Amino acid sequence: MIDQVVGVLRDVAEEIVLPRFRNLAAGEVIEKGPGDLVTVADREAEAALTRRLTDLLPGSLVVGEEAVAADPSVLARLDDPGPVWVIDPIDGTANYAAGREPFGLMVALLRGGVPVLGAIYEPVAGTLSVAEAGAGAYIDGERVAFDHTPVAAEQLRGAVMTRYLPQELREQVTARLPLLTETVPGFRCAAHEYPNLIRSGRHFAMFWRSLPWDHTAGALLIREAGGVVRHFDGTDYDPARPKLGLLICRDSAVFELVRSVLLA
């Protein structure tokens, strides 16, 4: 099924997302909330993905970012025992609306609330990242896995998204960043952050918000590459019950190091 899902992502990107990149008309970019944008391409892409994925798997349900924005009760579908698609039609909408990269399309499939398939497609670069539960993680057709060579806390390199952190926590984390070798502010696009963490050789990424459409596909990719995706309190990420504060790390040892340095 993964090949069929990838085909759907590629088709929707080619038919809807790319033609409007750097070609959005006035009124086609709307602010859903402060700093939270949606474009006509987001909505049309989600509608197309919803139709084509449910055709691919009859009887399946969909939890899409824009559907939830219109009706928050849609989130309850994540608890359905049957197959549920989780869709982010354009992740990195702020970048897309501004005519810049990165941005991507993300789809995950849950069965009984458990992620079994994830696909991330960055259409301009053509980068494709996929994972199936128990079958490994692949980026552009090559199987990928984290290096688990031990590192010291002062050697850590990572991406830290401080934008949504509560002020007190943001000040604490920012003050402790110099204790690490390198930190970057992130790309405002989880569709890029997840595969980039594997390819860049960095050890971790930190988020505050953990919305299912932003993280379900990427979390499966990381876990299948040998990494961990956990909340600040140490519990594993569950898309059906997301909590604020998320660390994506190449292994459990790095998770404990990052937590001890930045969050103690």
Side-chain angles (χ1 to χ4, degrees):
M1 177 175 285
I2 190 71
D3 291 340
Q4 294 167 292
V5 172
V6 167
V8 169
L9 283 176
R10 290 188 189 276
D11 288 347
V12 171
E14 290 293 329
E15 295 167 15
I16 297 172
V17 177
L18 287 177
R20 282 201 165 95
F21 183 47
R22 298 175 180 156
N23 195 34
L24 288 164
E28 291 186 335
V29 181
I30 303 159
E31 193 172 47
K32 293 188 290 186
D36 190 9
L37 301 179
V38 63
T39 73
V40 64
D42 290 81
R43 290 174 172 168
E44 290 182 4
E46 182 166 309
L49 288 167
T50 296
R51 183 175 63 255
R52 297 181 194 191
L53 291 172
T54 52
D55 285 347
L56 184 62
L57 191 57
S60 57
L61 302 178
V62 172
V63 174
E65 178 177 6
E66 305 314 325
V68 172
D71 179 6
S73 70
V74 169
L75 274 173
R77 296 175 185 172
L78 292 170
D79 285 320
D80 192 273
V84 179
W85 298 101
V86 181
I87 296 174
D88 193 336
I90 302 178
D91 185 69
T93 297
N95 295 336
Y96 178 82
R100 63 175 182 262
E101 299 178 69
F103 61 88
L105 293 76
M106 298 198 289
V107 166
L109 177 64
L110 307 181
R111 289 189 181 274
V114 178
V116 297
L117 178 155
I120 302 172
Y121 182 49
E122 298 174 71
V124 175
T127 301
L128 177 66
S129 306
V130 298
E132 290 186 88
Y138 294 80
I139 299 178
D140 292 335
E142 179 181 352
R143 187 161 185 169
V144 293
F146 284 109
D147 173 12
H148 296 299
T149 303
V151 294
E154 61 272 16
Q155 296 174 304
L156 290 172
R157 301 166 58 240
V160 179
M161 278 58 78
T162 60
R163 182 182 178 199
Y164 294 108
L165 291 176
Q167 182 176 348
E168 184 177 350
L169 181 58
R170 183 169 62 248
E171 291 172 355
Q172 172 187 314
V173 168
T174 301
R176 296 181 179 186
L177 292 181
L179 298 173
L180 309 181
T181 291
E182 177 196 41
T183 57
V184 294
F187 298 93
R188 297 190 70 184
C189 177
H192 186 75
E193 295 289 356
Y194 275 98
N196 186 66
L197 180 60
I198 298 172
R199 292 180 297 183
S200 69
R202 295 192 180 101
H203 303 102
F204 75 96
M206 175 188 286
F207 292 86
W208 179 246
R209 300 199 302 182
S210 59
L211 298 165
W213 41 86
D214 287 335
H215 296 284
T216 305
L220 183 60
L221 183 78
I222 293 297
R223 288 166 176 161
E224 288 297 315
V228 299
V229 182
R230 295 175 180 164
H231 294 288
F232 293 171
D233 64 4
T235 56
D236 287 330
Y237 177 67
D238 177 355
R241 287 162 183 78
K243 295 183 287 188
L244 295 172
L246 200 62
L247 283 173
I248 297 94
C249 301
R250 71 174 199 180
D251 51 40
S252 294
V254 166
F255 173 83
E256 295 299 341
L257 282 175
V258 174
R259 189 163 65 159
S260 68
V261 174
L262 298 182
L263 301 172

